[in-house]
Amino acid sequence: MLLGAIEGGGTKFVCGIGTPEGEIVERISIPTTTPEETLDRAIIFFEKQSIEAIGIGTFGPIDLNAQSANYGSVTSTPKPNWSGYRIVEHLKRRFNGPIGFDTDVNAAALGELTWGAAKGLNSCLYMTIGTGIGAGAIVEGKLLHGLTHPEMGHIVVRRHLNDSYDGHCPFHRDCLEGLAAGPAIEARWDRKAEQLESTHLAWEIESYYIAQALVNYTLILSPEKIILGGGVMKQSQLFPLIREQFLNIMNGYVNNNVISKDINDYIVQPGLGSNAGLCGALALAKQILAS
Ligand code: ADP
Ligand code: ZN
């Protein structure tokens, strides 16, 4: 049996065909142009094989309310023509099977729980730090949605004492994303994040913000594993810095062995590596087919 997967991003849509065991057998990368053109190319790719379901994990914010006229769309984005465009409905015109739809980070969390770093657990949190910051969570075996879906990148954080950068979030200015996403690092230091040396003060400041977020997520959601992905996390020196600051801020309050003895195994890299997003979409397809 084969399943379809779409990792929808602002610059490209990565589509894959895979098995219920999480193996991607074929993939294609389609530039994100107009919704019609991008989605038609995805359908043509999927029609080459017989697939039973499609899973889509996409950039957001998205409409997940099945009762809404705009279900299956990205609700607001600066990307021309995409705001309110009903992605799921477009695919349904040419595909009869079930279609799972969720945020890119929720999909990645599900992929990591099904086949990756959180395999065998009942809960996890997947956070991406890239052009933006977002996180998806699974609690008691279920993806977390609620009123719309969590927007964990826009939380309030305490300022690092050596940071005078204003912040770049158009809504909140110095929320977590405004201070710690890739473009914030670039604006603060006037250099691309990937060009800063590994011992730069930038990483101490960055890890302080990410650690605060992780402490908050742990206190609120109590995930059994935290997985960090996205372009900025390619700076692997961030992992020990984040773990250390996490323990400092937590200060022993959540006194569980997983945290206090095995922090290296609590805050981890994606088990699925750069496939976390696409495998996550595959996991959404598997889940919708099973339901
Ligand atoms: P997106 O979030 O757009 O899907 P990425 O996760 O690759 O894509 O994030 C892009 C951001 O990550 C950019 O701000 C870029 O500067 C930053 N980035 C990419 N690679 C690295 C790296 N090796 N080190 C630090 N920052 C990086
Ligand atoms: Zn914000």
Side-chain angles (χ1 to χ4, degrees):
M1 182 175 63
L2 292 172
L3 302 165
I6 301 178
E7 182 187 10
T11 50
K12 61 185 194 290
F13 268 51
V14 181
C15 302
I17 292 173
T19 68
E21 290 75 42
E23 192 198 346
I24 304 285
V25 294
E26 204 184 332
R27 74 168 75 207
I28 185 178
S29 179
I30 299 167
T32 311
T33 56
T34 64
E36 290 87 353
E37 185 180 29
T38 311
L39 296 171
D40 281 345
R41 286 190 62 186
I43 290 170
I44 290 166
F45 168 72
F46 288 129
E47 281 177 346
K48 290 195 295 178
Q49 304 250 19
S50 164
I51 55 171
E52 306 289 320
I54 296 176
I56 310 167
T58 174
F59 69 98
I62 64 176
D63 190 335
L64 283 168
N65 175 2
Q67 265 70 54
S68 156
N70 286 327
Y71 171 78
S73 68
V74 177
T75 53
S76 61
T77 164
K79 193 96 197 138
N81 306 313
W82 282 87
S83 285
Y85 191 85
R86 284 176 285 169
I87 297 168
V88 171
E89 190 187 273
H90 186 110
L91 295 175
K92 280 206 158 138
R93 284 183 224 149
R94 302 246 304 262
F95 177 72
N96 285 329
I99 299 178
F101 182 72
D102 216 315
T103 61
D104 45 7
V105 281
N106 260 355
L110 185 64
E112 288 291 331
L113 191 100
T114 312
W115 301 299
K119 194 173 168 191
L121 302 178
N122 238 344
S123 61
C124 73
L125 182 121
Y126 179 95
M127 182 184 195
T128 180
I129 301 121
T131 307
I133 296 184
I138 297 181
V139 179
E140 297 182 347
K142 281 190 155 168
L143 282 169
L144 199 61
H145 295 121
L147 183 64
T148 57
H149 51 76
E151 283 286 2
M152 294 190 239
H154 294 263
I155 61 170
V156 177
V157 286
R158 248 183 228 159
R159 280 277 178 165
H160 190 283
L161 289 178
N162 296 327
D163 186 16
S164 56
Y165 173 59
D166 266 357
H168 82 289
C169 175
F171 292 88
H172 320 109
R173 196 169 51 86
D174 60 353
C175 66
L176 175 67
E177 181 173 297
L179 291 173
I185 302 173
E186 185 174 340
R188 181 185 290 112
W189 303 106
D190 216 6
R191 249 191 302 165
K192 284 214 161 297
E194 42 272 64
Q195 284 159 7
L196 296 166
E197 56 276 23
S198 63
T199 51
H200 198 283
L201 173 64
W203 305 119
E204 141 90 23
I205 293 177
E206 182 71 8
S207 60
Y208 180 59
Y209 293 136
I210 297 170
Q212 288 183 64
L214 299 187
V215 167
N216 288 331
Y217 304 154
T218 298
L219 294 173
I220 296 169
L221 300 170
S222 204
E224 292 162 285
K225 186 87 75 182
I226 292 176
I227 301 146
L228 301 178
V232 172
M233 290 310 301
K234 287 187 194 150
Q235 299 289 325
S236 56
Q237 77 279 8
L238 276 173
F239 279 90
L241 292 172
I242 291 167
R243 291 176 187 127
E244 188 187 333
Q245 306 241 34
F246 177 94
L247 290 175
N248 284 344
I249 300 166
M250 189 63 95
N251 200 23
Y253 183 71
V254 176
N255 188 12
N256 181 286
N257 274 347
V258 173
I259 293 175
S260 52
K261 295 219 172 63
D262 286 326
I263 191 73
N264 293 338
D265 200 37
Y266 185 60
I267 299 172
V268 301
Q269 298 189 314
L272 301 169
S274 56
N275 273 341
L278 192 59
C279 286
L282 191 66
L284 285 175
K286 182 177 175 176
Q287 185 182 67
I288 192 94
L289 191 65
S291 70

